[in-house]
Amino acid sequence: MSATPQPRRPRRRAARVLAAAAGLATLGALAAALPANAGQSAGQDTAGAAGKKRTVDVQLLSFNDFHGNLQPPAGSSGQVTEKQPDGTEKKIDAGGAEYLATSLRTAREGNPYSVTAAAGDLIGASPLLSGLFHDEPTIEAMNKLGLDVTSVGNHEFDEGAKELARMQKGGCHPKDGCFEKGKKFKGADYPYLAANVTDEKTDKPILKPYWVWKHKGVKVGFIGVTLEGTPDIVSADGVKGLKFHDEIETVNKYAKILDKQGVKSIVTLLHEGGAPASQAYNYDCDSPGAGDGISGPITDIAKGITPKVDALVTGHTHSAYVCTIPDPSGKPRMVTSASSFGKLYTDTTLTYDRKTKDIVRTSVKSANHVVSRDQAKAPDMTSLISRWDKLAAPVANKPVGFISADIPGRGAGVPEAPLGDLIADAQLAHGKSLDPETDLALMNPGGIRSDLVHKASGSEGDGVVTYGEGFTVQPFSNTVNLVDLTGAQLITGLKQQVSGSNQASPKILQISDGLTYTLDMTKSGADRVVTDSIKLGGKAIDPATTYRVAMNSFLAGGGDGFAELGKGTKPLVGSDDLKAFNDYLTANSSADKPIAPPKADRITIVK
C-alpha cells in the first residue's frame, strides 16, 4: 500500500477555499483594525484576578508515521538530513522507540503544561517485531512513552475497522489469540480520533472525533482526521462499510462544536501532508515568505480550515517541515510534520491566554528535533523490545537469502529503486510458477517499506537477509495475482502513473526485467510516459495483444489510482508477496553467490 499522498480534486478544493476566505474576510479586517497591543505575547504575561499569569506556555510535542519502528530503522530509512551553516548537508542516524522515549521525556522536563500528540500511521506497514503481533507492541510502547492523543491514518485501516477498535479498546486477536501467556492486550491508553470516518449505516464517527486536554484550568481541543482519499490507498476489505469525508468540512464542523463548548484553543491532527522544498529537516519553510517552502495537499487544506484552529500537526508524506501557512483570514498558522519512523519530534510552544481561553497566535513557536541515537536508551523501551524480540526470534532470524551490497528501496529517492526491480522480478518468477505464460510484473512503490541492508542487524552475519528483514520490506500480506491485460490497458495503466489522481504526485511502478520505457519529465500528464518507447523484451507493446501480468492484490484491485490495472481478466491468486520474495531470494542466492543490486536502468528518465 502506498504512503504517497493523494492529490486533491482541484476545482472542488479551490471552490471551498475561496468560499472560506470570502466568508472570513471581515474577520481579517477586524483583526487588522485592532490596536498593536491588543494581544499578549509570550514575554508579556500579566496577572489575572486570581493571581495567576494571564498567559501560560503549553508545550505540544508531536510526531507522525511511526509505523511500528520500535527498533531503529535500517539504512537510509533511519537517517535524517540536516542542513549545515555552510549550506552543505549531513546525514544523521536517528529513530527507534528507545531514543524517541528519551527525547520526549527530556523535552518535557521543566514544562508543567505539556501534551504529546501524533498524526496517524503509528501502526501498519510495520517491521516484523511489531507487525507479527498485529502491532500490539507498538501500542504498548506508545502507552509507555506518554502519548496523549492521535488521529487515525490510512494504515490504521490495514486490518479493518474492527481491528482498529481492538487497538483502542484491547482484547486478544480474534484469530491468533493472546501472544503472551497470562497477558491480555489492554489497548491504547490514549484516544484515537477519527472525525471524518463514519459508519455507512449509522453515519456516526467510528471513533471519537475530538478530545480535550485539560490541565490546571487550561483547555486545548484536538480534532483528528485522516485523508479523504484513504479508500484509494487501502485495500477494499480494510475500509469496507466506512465513509471518509472532506477534511476541511469535518474540521470546521467540530471546531464550531468545541467553540460552543468554550474550548477556544484547538489543534488539528491531520494525516495528510505536503512536499517540502528541501529534504533537510531544519530548512526555512517560510522563505522567502510564509509557507513558500511547501506544496501539495496540505497547502489547500490549511488555507481552508477555520481560524478557530490554532495549529495543524500533519503527516502521511513522511516529510519534515515547520511552516506558517496563512489561515482563511490571512493570519499565520503553524503547520508541522516530523518525518517518519520516530526519527524526529516537533516541539511547539502554544501561548495560552487564560482570559480569552485562546492561543496567542503571534507567539506560537515550533521546531523539529532529531531523535539522536547518541543519547541514552529508555530502559523500559529496551525491556519491551527485548520481551517481544524473544517471541519473534524463531521466525525473524531465519535466513532467506544473501546480498552483496545494500539494495536501496524506500530510501532510494529515485523513481526506479533497485529493490523495486528485485521485488518485481520475484513476483514475475512467482507468476511463472503459477502460469508459465506470465509476461511481466508490476509493483507499487508505496508497498516497499524499507531498504535491504548488507550490514548485519544481529548475529546473522553481513549480507544475510533474514525473514524479519524481508518482512520489514513487504509487511502487507498482499497476494501475488495474475491477470490478463491487453497491450492498450497496459499502456493506459503505465500512463496512470503520472496522470489522473497521480498527476500531482506521480507513483512510478517498479517493473520486472524485460519491460522498458522512457519517462519524459519535461512533458506533462500522461504524455510523460512515451508510448512508442514501451517495450517487452525489446519488442513494442502491441495494443491488441493480451499479456499475462503479475502484481500484488492491492494493485490488482485498482489501488493507488491504477484503475486500469483493476480491469484485468482471468484472475489467478498466488501466494502472499512476502513468500514470493523470500522464495526468490532463496532460489537465486547463496553465501558464495549473493544477489547484487539491480542496475535500476529499466526506465529511462528524461529531466
Side-chain angles (χ1 to χ4, degrees), residues 362-519:
T362 54
S363 299
V364 175
K365 295 178 290 184
S366 186
N368 276 324
H369 300 274
V370 178
V371 177
S372 170
R373 298 183 200 167
D374 292 333
Q375 62 188 316
K377 297 179 180 180
D380 58 339
M381 291 296 162
T382 301
S383 177
L384 180 150
I385 290 170
S386 177
R387 199 179 85 240
W388 287 102
D389 198 36
K390 287 179 181 178
L391 291 175
V395 175
N397 297 333
K398 180 182 177 183
V400 295
F402 301 85
I403 56 176
S404 64
D406 289 353
I407 304 182
R410 185 80 180 181
V414 292
E416 182 184 358
L419 186 53
D421 285 356
L422 184 61
I423 292 172
D425 288 347
Q427 294 190 1
L428 175 59
H430 184 70
K432 285 184 175 294
S433 72
L434 301 173
D435 182 349
E437 299 301 316
T438 303
D439 296 296
L440 60 107
L442 305 172
M443 174 64 190
N444 62 308
I448 306 168
R449 306 305 300 182
S450 186
D451 306 329
L452 279 185
V453 180
H454 184 264
K455 184 178 179 180
S457 59
S459 60
E460 75 276 10
D462 291 349
V464 179
V465 180
T466 64
Y467 182 91
E469 290 167 338
F471 187 100
T472 298
V473 170
Q474 288 194 279
F476 292 111
S477 296
N478 288 312
T479 55
V480 177
N481 291 13
L482 297 182
V483 295
D484 279 0
L485 292 172
T486 65
Q489 288 178 308
L490 182 58
I491 292 169
T492 298
L494 291 174
K495 288 181 176 291
Q496 287 176 339
Q497 299 175 108
V498 289
S499 63
S501 63
N502 292 331
Q503 182 164 339
S505 299
K507 295 187 180 72
I508 306 305
L509 295 168
Q510 309 298 283
I511 57 178
S512 59
D513 188 30
L515 182 62
T516 58
Y517 70 93
T518 297
L519 186 64

Side-chain angles (χ1 to χ4, degrees), residues 213-228:
W213 176 80
K214 303 175 183 178
H215 186 65
K216 295 182 179 180
V218 175
K219 296 181 181 180
V220 180
F222 290 84
I223 302 169
V225 294
T226 186
L227 70 155
E228 185 183 7

Side-chain angles (χ1 to χ4, degrees), residues 1-5 67 121 154-155 233 316-318 410 446 449:
M1 298 180 194
S2 174
T4 309
H67 289 291
D121 274 11
N154 55 288
H155 282 288
I233 54 176
H316 188 53
T317 58
H318 291 202
R410 185 80 180 181
R449 306 305 300 182

Side-chain angles (χ1 to χ4, degrees), residues 43 281 299 356 376 385 403 457 501 533 535 579:
Y281 79 89
T299 57
T356 65
I385 290 170
I403 56 176
S457 59
S501 63
S533 71
K535 297 179 180 180
K579 184 179 186 304

Side-chain angles (χ1 to χ4, degrees), residues 301-323:
I301 295 175
K303 291 174 183 177
I305 286 179
T306 172
K308 294 181 187 296
V309 172
D310 298 294
L312 281 74
V313 176
T314 71
H316 188 53
T317 58
H318 291 202
S319 298
Y321 48 82
V322 174
C323 309

Side-chain angles (χ1 to χ4, degrees), residues 245-262:
H245 303 273
D246 180 80
E247 305 95 334
I248 294 175
E249 293 173 0
T250 301
V251 172
N252 290 354
K253 169 186 173 180
Y254 285 106
K256 287 183 180 179
I257 291 174
L258 283 169
D259 185 63
K260 288 181 180 179
Q261 293 178 359

